[in-house]
Amino acid sequence: GRTRTRFRRLRTAKGDEALRAVVDFCVGPLARLNEEEGHHMMRSFPRQGYQVSRVYLLSSHKLHIRNLLRSVLSARRLEQLEMQKALLKEGEDNDDASRKPEDSVPPLGTYELLVALAFRPGRRSFGLFHPFTTPSWPPHPEDAAPPSTRALAHVAQDLLYVEAALALARRANELANDREALAAVQVGAKAFVQQALDALSVVNG
């Protein structure tokens, strides 16, 4: 007889690795030039050069950051995550005895995905909202740790982090106000936005 395709939960480690790759793409070494590279890549250096300027590199990477985050955080993708999260929650409630160790970590939803990109590090970079951090995982809004003034001043000079943080903040705000998206997606995005505002209020206070 015919068999039915069955949904199988992705191991947490594989999901974490994918998110780390997104973070590293946005703010890792890909679009960074050291001093020597910068000298050779500047437009018309010494007379001809490679015809590539730092401004062009940053502008191009800025566009790639925005497109990547819009893809990863598309409303439809997040709706699927929320549906899978609800499905797994129902399964756990009905059959706790069959749960495996990897199932003890709550599945990602909109809020958890946004927090992971904002606060959890990649393999070669900090989270997109660095130097803000959230010590615990799964995340809890009250755990957001305010950074020092010195750390904020340092990251403010890092153009990639500034662009990535702004792109993520804008995408979260779009999701929070997307009336066509599932309520679960809007609520998750609103919770993330509120956490970010609370962290900023601590610094401003």
Side-chain angles (χ1 to χ4, degrees), residues 23-90:
V23 171
D24 283 338
F25 176 87
C26 291
V27 294
L30 177 64
R32 296 183 183 276
L33 300 177
N34 59 34
E35 185 176 359
E36 182 179 358
E37 290 171 332
H39 286 317
H40 288 285
M41 297 292 283
M42 291 296 287
R43 187 183 303 276
S44 299
F45 179 89
R47 290 190 178 182
Q48 296 298 324
Y50 292 95
Q51 299 298 313
V52 177
S53 70
R54 290 186 178 184
V55 174
Y56 170 81
L57 183 62
L58 177 62
S59 298
S60 177
H61 192 62
K62 172 184 175 181
L63 179 62
H64 293 317
I65 290 174
R66 184 180 65 182
N67 289 340
L68 177 61
L69 291 180
R70 287 187 66 86
S71 175
V72 173
L73 298 171
S74 70
R76 179 164 179 79
R77 190 185 304 275
L78 295 175
E79 287 173 348
Q80 292 174 340
L81 280 179
E82 294 292 351
M83 293 298 292
Q84 292 173 7
K85 182 179 179 180
L87 178 64
L88 290 170
K89 182 64 171 61
E90 292 177 1

Side-chain angles (χ1 to χ4, degrees), residues 3 6 11 19 42 46 62 74 77 79 89 95 112 134 144 147 152 154 178 180 194 200:
T3 59
R6 181 179 179 182
R11 289 184 178 274
L19 294 177
M42 291 296 287
K62 172 184 175 181
S74 70
R77 190 185 304 275
E79 287 173 348
K89 182 64 171 61
D95 193 7
E112 291 82 6
T134 177
L152 284 173
H154 178 75
D178 185 354
E180 300 300 321
Q194 187 60 54
L200 288 175

